[in-house]
Amino acid sequence: MKKIAYINDKINRYNQKIYVPGDKSLSIRFVLIASQAIGKSIAFNLLKSEDVINALNAIKKLGINYKLKKNFCEINGKGLNGFKFKNNTIINAGNSGTLARLIFGLLINSKNSIVLKGDQSLSKRDFKRIILPMQKFGQNIFSRNHKLPIKIKGTEFPVPISYIESKGSAQVKSSILLAAMKTDGITSIKSIPSRDHTEKLYKYLKLPIRIKKEKKFELISLKGKKNFKGFNYKIPGDISSSSFFIVLTLLSKKSKLLIKNVNVSKSRTGVIDILKRMNAKIYLKNKKKYKGESIADIFVKSSSNFKAINCPTKMNSRSIDEFLLIFLVCALAKGISTFKKIGELRNKETDRLKFANNFLNKIGVKTKIKYDSLKIYGNPDLKLNKIYEIKNFDKDHRACMVSIIAALTLGGRWIIHDLKSINTSFPNFILLLKKLGAKIN
C-alpha cells in the first residue's frame, strides 16, 4: 500500500452489498483467551490486521503455538499455567492499546519477566490506569512515567481484588478479568458500562462470572482458577469498520448499502443510535444471537436534513471509536451539536479531540473546544473546493480513514498521508472503497 492517497472526485452513487472484516476487539480477545484454554481453539473470520497479528506473535513468544490459514486460525492452548518463555522476553504490541493493556492480565502469575514495547504512537500513551489494578493483584511493574517500554513480572500468589473502574474502559476491565481468571478467590469490579465482549466469552465458556446491572454501574465478580477446554468461534463483522461505510453511504447521493453479518451488541452501537437521532436512515435486518453477541445486517440509505444532537454522555463509551465519523456528520447538520465528557478521545493513538477540532476548522466548520467537550456548528450547505492536505496525525488509522470518507463525500482535492496506518485495523479498506466505485490514487 502506498503512503499517500490522492482523491479528486466524490464517489458516484451505488447500490451494493459488502462484508467487513472480523471484529478487532473480539479477534484480539479470542487470541488471548484461547491461549489459556486446554487444547485446540479455532476462530473463523479472524481479523488479519497488524493489531491481531501482533497478538498472535505475543502468545507465540509466550510458548503458545498457532496456525493462521486463509479461512481460520487455530490456537493450541496449554491451560492457565501454560506459558513458557525466557526471562526478559520482548513483546511488541505495535500500535495496539488493547493488546498492550490486556496482556498485563495474562502475565499476572508469570515467573519470568517480559519487556512490553510498542510503536512510537503507543509509547506516548499513559498506562497508569492498567498498572494500578495489576499492582493490587501483586504484579511487579517497572516503568518510566507509566509509559512503554514497561517491564512486567508476575507474582507467584496473586491476590483477588475489588476495583472501581470509573473511566468506562473495557481494556482495564478485561485485563482485570484475565488476571482474575488466573487468581484464587473472587475478584470484583464496579465498572461504568463499556464493551462487554470478555464477559460474554466467559459466560459462553461457563466460567463462574456474575454480572449485576445497576443504574450507572455494573457489578462484576469472577471466581478464578477454573480451567476450560478449547472452543470454536465465528467472529462477526466489526461495527467500527462498518461505520466508515455507513457514513460514506449517508453522505453520498442516491446510494444504498447492505453490510452483512455485523456485531451490533448494545455496548458497540452508540454510533447507530446517535446517527439515527440525527435523522440517518439506518436499519438492522436479520437480527440473531451468537454466543451472547447480537448479529445483524445493516442497511443504509443516503440521507439529508441531518439534525444537530446534544449527545447524551451515557452514549460515550458505546461510540468512543466512532466519534470522528459522528463529528463529520455533525458538520453537515442543521444547528449546534454538543458533546461532553469526551476527554477519553485525547488518550487514543492521537489526540482525537484535537484532531477533530483542527480537521473541522480546516474544512470551514466552526467549533468550540474545551478539554473534554466539543461544540460543532453545522452547515448543511457545506461544499468544499480547495486543496486539503491531512498529515501529522500520529499515524492514527481512524483519523486517516475518516479523512478519506470526507474526501469522497464533501468534494475538493485531498492529499492524505500515512495510508499504511490503516493496516492496524482494516487492511482491505481501500479495496472495499474501490469496489463501491471510489477513485483513490
Side-chain angles (χ1 to χ4, degrees), residues 91-93 100 103-104 114-118 127 148-152:
I91 289 180
N92 191 340
I103 206 160
F104 276 81
I114 72 109
V115 178
L116 180 63
K117 295 185 176 182
F127 279 72
L148 300 180
I150 296 175
K151 190 172 184 177
I152 305 168

Side-chain angles (χ1 to χ4, degrees), residues 41-308:
S41 296
I42 297 176
F44 302 92
N45 198 39
L46 186 85
L47 175 64
K48 293 172 183 167
S49 72
E50 287 180 354
D51 281 4
V52 180
I53 298 300
N54 284 330
L56 288 167
N57 290 338
I59 64 168
K60 186 173 183 179
K61 283 202 165 188
L62 298 174
I64 305 298
N65 293 322
Y66 72 87
K67 295 178 184 177
L68 184 59
K69 302 293 185 181
K70 182 179 179 180
N71 297 319
F72 68 92
C73 176
E74 178 184 309
I75 295 173
N76 292 288
K78 298 178 181 178
L80 297 178
N81 298 305
F83 285 163
K84 289 184 179 180
F85 56 94
K86 293 180 180 179
N87 201 34
N88 293 324
T89 291
I90 294 173
I91 289 180
N92 191 340
N95 187 252
S96 178
T98 301
L99 169 60
R101 292 190 175 98
L102 266 58
I103 206 160
F104 276 81
L106 285 188
L107 295 167
I108 202 67
N109 62 344
S110 61
K111 294 179 180 178
N112 290 328
S113 298
I114 72 109
V115 178
L116 180 63
K117 295 185 176 182
D119 69 5
Q120 186 177 3
S121 171
L122 190 61
S123 297
K124 294 178 181 178
R125 296 166 75 176
D126 194 318
F127 279 72
K128 184 176 180 180
R129 67 174 63 175
I130 195 69
I131 289 173
L132 292 178
M134 294 300 111
Q135 287 178 329
K136 288 191 72 175
F137 277 103
Q139 194 171 58
N140 300 289
I141 299 169
F142 308 93
S143 70
R144 288 185 180 179
N145 301 318
H146 309 115
K147 294 181 179 179
L148 300 180
I150 296 175
K151 190 172 184 177
I152 305 168
K153 185 177 181 181
T155 175
E156 189 176 354
F157 300 107
V159 294
I161 68 171
S162 295
Y163 198 78
I164 297 175
E165 198 296 292
S166 58
K167 299 285 188 182
S169 171
Q171 293 175 355
V172 172
K173 179 177 62 173
S174 292
S175 190
I176 292 171
L177 288 172
L178 289 171
M181 180 172 62
K182 307 177 82 164
T183 300
D184 269 325
I186 296 175
T187 291
S188 59
I189 311 167
K190 184 178 181 181
S191 172
I192 289 179
S194 58
R195 296 183 186 186
D196 56 356
H197 302 306
T198 304
E199 296 96 304
K200 287 173 179 173
L201 271 169
Y202 277 18
K203 282 186 175 181
Y204 162 63
L205 295 170
K206 294 184 168 52
L207 297 181
I209 187 170
R210 291 185 178 181
I211 303 168
K212 182 181 178 183
K213 296 183 184 293
E214 297 191 341
K215 189 174 182 179
K216 293 184 178 180
F217 285 89
E218 293 177 339
L219 302 177
I220 306 167
S221 65
L222 179 74
K223 186 177 181 181
K225 290 286 190 176
K226 184 180 187 301
N227 285 302
F228 59 98
K229 294 181 180 179
F231 58 100
N232 293 346
Y233 202 90
K234 296 178 182 178
I235 296 174
D238 194 315
I239 183 65
S240 294
S241 298
S242 301
S243 297
F244 292 98
F245 290 89
I246 290 172
V247 171
L248 176 74
T249 305
L250 292 176
L251 301 186
S252 299
K253 300 292 184 183
K254 299 180 181 179
S255 293
K256 298 177 182 178
L257 185 67
L258 184 66
I259 311 172
K260 297 285 290 181
N261 199 50
V262 180
N263 185 344
V264 293
S265 291
K266 185 178 178 180
S267 66
R268 298 291 300 280
T269 51
V271 60
I272 291 177
D273 293 342
I274 291 169
L275 292 176
K276 288 181 77 170
R277 288 190 184 199
M278 295 179 67
N279 219 20
K281 296 174 182 176
I282 306 171
Y283 311 92
L284 301 184
K285 298 186 174 186
N286 303 321
K287 296 179 186 178
K288 58 186 177 183
K289 286 281 188 179
Y290 177 74
K291 296 179 180 176
E293 301 286 351
S294 298
I295 315 295
D297 300 335
I298 303 175
F299 180 64
V300 193
K301 295 173 69 176
S302 298
S303 303
S304 57
N305 301 318
F306 292 109
K307 299 183 296 184

